[in-house]
């Protein structure tokens, strides 16, 4: 054909030599912040505010009802001031999490960690002064919040601060109050509080790590699903649309040369490709919705389509106990069978086909065989077999394709 009849293509429309769409740069998309995740974050924030408010109420009510209680003189004044300071520090941890509470240049997480450290010290001092249970509860809450909400580089110094403060108070280095009772009793109580603090920190940190691992797995699942969707879209569009463009471009040039019959053949091929691409898109959407028919039923429909379009038999033999497979495996099986029977139609016209599906323990096998044809077929480029083999490898399976003594065989084995 004359070179002048070839349309000019801009750099944006250039295609690879294989006729596929140009590759796009690989990117790692971040998991989407959907409505479910936003609602979950709001629920967690509300639960955190309610929990802190409950701890403040417990501290105030507990110190007010426990002897010696609140007052304006002596030891009771110290209990009053320490309770107010600890309550204000806890309240500020709530305020620090609000979007407009602090200037943007401030590190809100660091501010919250400092406030938690202040709560820890105040609760230890308050426990030493009042000998009441609510202060110990606030101490455990502060240590748990530090481990659950902050990374180890910030939560570990807060744990060490709590242990150092307990050691300083119960050893007498920090004489915040007159310690009564035997020295052994004071030591035992200090050790029990240190052990309790370490246990709470360990449990809270383990919960944080478990949540982080769960979130990472969820993110990887989202990325894997996006990659699968992108692969399905590429397989459909790159193969179908690019081939249609080639045929339609050829039809345009043939019409210019007044070769209408050949141009009509090109248009018919493009129409068939469009029809097949639409069917593949429907199968992909059904797989993504987990709404695919059972694999034997899908293969039976494929065999019936082969028989109605060619007039040749396409037998289906299902062996073993039937069961549903993961959607990506069933889709790979259907795509492989579709490509195989299409190859029979193109490269061995007039030849019947046979499809065998075998369910075994731990794997599933698909075979498509056809005898040799006496009619000449259309030569192929082999890209269909390459795509089938790549799809099998992604699923951890194997694909064999080649001539046998009785014709041609395509065999796919996948773990299932």
């Amino acid at each position: 054909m004359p070179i002048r009849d070839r349309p000019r293509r801009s750099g944006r429309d250039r295609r690879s030599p294989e006729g596929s769409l140009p590759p796009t740069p690989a990117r790692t998309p971040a998991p989407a912040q959907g409505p479910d995740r936003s609602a979950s974050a709001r629920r967690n924030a509300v639960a955190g505010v309610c929990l802190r408010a409950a701890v403040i109420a417990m501290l105030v009510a507990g110190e007010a009802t426990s002897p010696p209680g609140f007052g304006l003189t002596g030891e009771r004044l110290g209990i009053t001031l320490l309770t107010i300071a600890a309550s204000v520090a806890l309240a500020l941890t709530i305020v620090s999490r609000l979007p407009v509470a602090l200037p943007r240049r401030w590190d809100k997480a660091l501010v919250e960690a400092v406030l938690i450290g202040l709560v820890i010290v105040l609760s230890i001092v308050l426990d030493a002064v009042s000998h009441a249970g609510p202060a110990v509860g606030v101490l455990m809450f502060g240590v748990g919040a530090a481990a659950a909400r902050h990374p180890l580089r910030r939560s570990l110094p807060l744990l060490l601060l709590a242990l150092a403060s307990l050691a300083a108070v119960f050893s007498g280095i920090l004489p915040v109050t007159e310690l009564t009772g035997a020295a052994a009793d004071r030591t035992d109580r200090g050790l029990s509080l240190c052990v309790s603090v370490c246990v709470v920190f360990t449990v809270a940190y383990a919960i944080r790590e478990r949540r982080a691992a769960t979130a990472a797995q969820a993110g990887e699942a989202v990325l894997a699903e996006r990659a699968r969707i992108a692969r399905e879209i590429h397989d459909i569009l790159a193969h179908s649309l690019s081939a249609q463009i080639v045929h339609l471009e050829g039809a345009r040039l043939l019409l210019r040369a007044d070769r209408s019959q050949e141009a009509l053949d090109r248009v018919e091929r493009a129409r068939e490709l469009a029809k097949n691409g639409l069917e593949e898109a429907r199968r992909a959407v059904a797989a993504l919705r987990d709404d695919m028919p059972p694999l034997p039923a899908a293969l039976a429909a494929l065999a019936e389509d082969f028989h109605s379009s060619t007039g040749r038999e396409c037998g289906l033999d299902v062996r073993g106990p039937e069961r549903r497979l993961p959607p990506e495996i069933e889709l790979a099986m259907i795509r492989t069978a579709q490509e195989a029977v299409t190859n029979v139609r193109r490269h061995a016209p007039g030849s019947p086909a046979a499809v065998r599906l075998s369910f075994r323990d731990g794997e599933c096998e698909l075979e498509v065989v056809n005898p040799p044809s006496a009619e000449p077929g259309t030569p192929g480029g082999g890209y269909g077999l390459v795509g089938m083999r790549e799809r099998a490898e992604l699923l951890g399976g194997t694909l064999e394709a080649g001539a046998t003594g009785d014709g041609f065989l395509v065999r796919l084995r996948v773990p299932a």
Side-chain angles (χ1 to χ4, degrees), residues 164-371:
S165 301
L166 287 172
V169 169
F170 285 96
S171 64
I173 297 176
L174 184 64
V176 294
T177 185
E178 184 67 25
L179 295 175
T180 58
D185 294 339
R186 297 197 304 269
T187 302
D188 290 343
R189 188 167 187 274
L191 288 176
S192 65
L193 285 177
C194 290
V195 172
S196 300
V197 164
C198 292
V199 170
V200 170
F201 182 89
T202 303
V203 172
Y205 185 74
I207 294 174
R208 171 187 170 85
E209 290 299 302
R210 182 176 180 180
R211 288 177 178 174
T214 302
Q217 291 176 357
E220 291 177 359
V222 170
L223 294 177
E225 184 66 13
R226 287 184 175 183
R228 185 168 76 93
I229 294 172
R231 187 166 58 249
E232 294 299 331
I233 292 175
H234 180 271
D235 288 348
I236 295 171
L237 296 183
H239 178 267
S240 177
L241 294 182
S242 60
Q244 290 178 53
I245 291 172
V246 171
H247 285 299
L248 292 175
E249 178 69 15
R252 186 182 69 86
L253 297 176
L254 289 170
L255 287 174
R256 282 189 173 184
D258 293 331
R259 298 161 64 182
S260 57
Q261 185 59 43
E262 296 181 29
L264 181 60
D265 292 339
R266 291 294 187 103
V267 173
E268 289 292 337
R269 293 182 186 178
R271 176 182 176 276
E272 187 68 21
L273 286 170
K275 180 181 177 182
N276 294 336
L278 181 59
E279 290 297 327
E280 291 181 5
R282 288 173 177 171
R283 291 191 185 96
V285 171
L288 294 175
R289 291 178 176 177
D290 291 337
D291 194 25
M292 291 183 61
L295 185 57
L299 294 178
L302 185 64
E304 179 64 25
D305 179 71
F306 178 87
H307 175 68
S308 61
S309 61
T310 63
R312 300 292 179 174
E313 292 295 328
C314 183
L316 175 63
D317 183 15
V318 181
R319 304 175 182 177
E322 298 182 13
R323 62 181 185 274
R324 292 308 300 260
L325 305 177
E328 60 272 13
I329 293 181
E330 290 191 347
L331 183 61
M333 289 278 188
I334 295 173
R335 286 286 177 83
T336 301
Q338 181 186 20
E339 184 71 24
V341 297
T342 301
N343 287 342
V344 174
R345 188 184 308 173
R346 292 176 181 173
H347 311 315
S351 174
V355 180
R356 289 194 292 267
L357 178 65
S358 301
F359 292 95
R360 301 171 182 170
D361 293 337
E363 72 172 9
C364 188
E365 182 181 270
L366 172 71
E367 290 184 346
V368 179
V369 296
N370 65 278

Side-chain angles (χ1 to χ4, degrees), residues 47-59:
V49 171
C50 294
L51 180 59
R52 283 168 170 76
V55 171
I56 293 174
M58 178 201 69
L59 175 63

Side-chain angles (χ1 to χ4, degrees), residues 4 12 34 64 90 99 121 153 210-211 224 263 267 294 311 331 341 354 371 393 400:
R4 63 175 179 272
R12 183 178 302 175
L90 277 171
V121 173
R153 60 185 176 85
R210 182 176 180 180
R211 288 177 178 174
V267 173
L331 183 61
V341 297
E393 292 175 353
E400 304 173 14

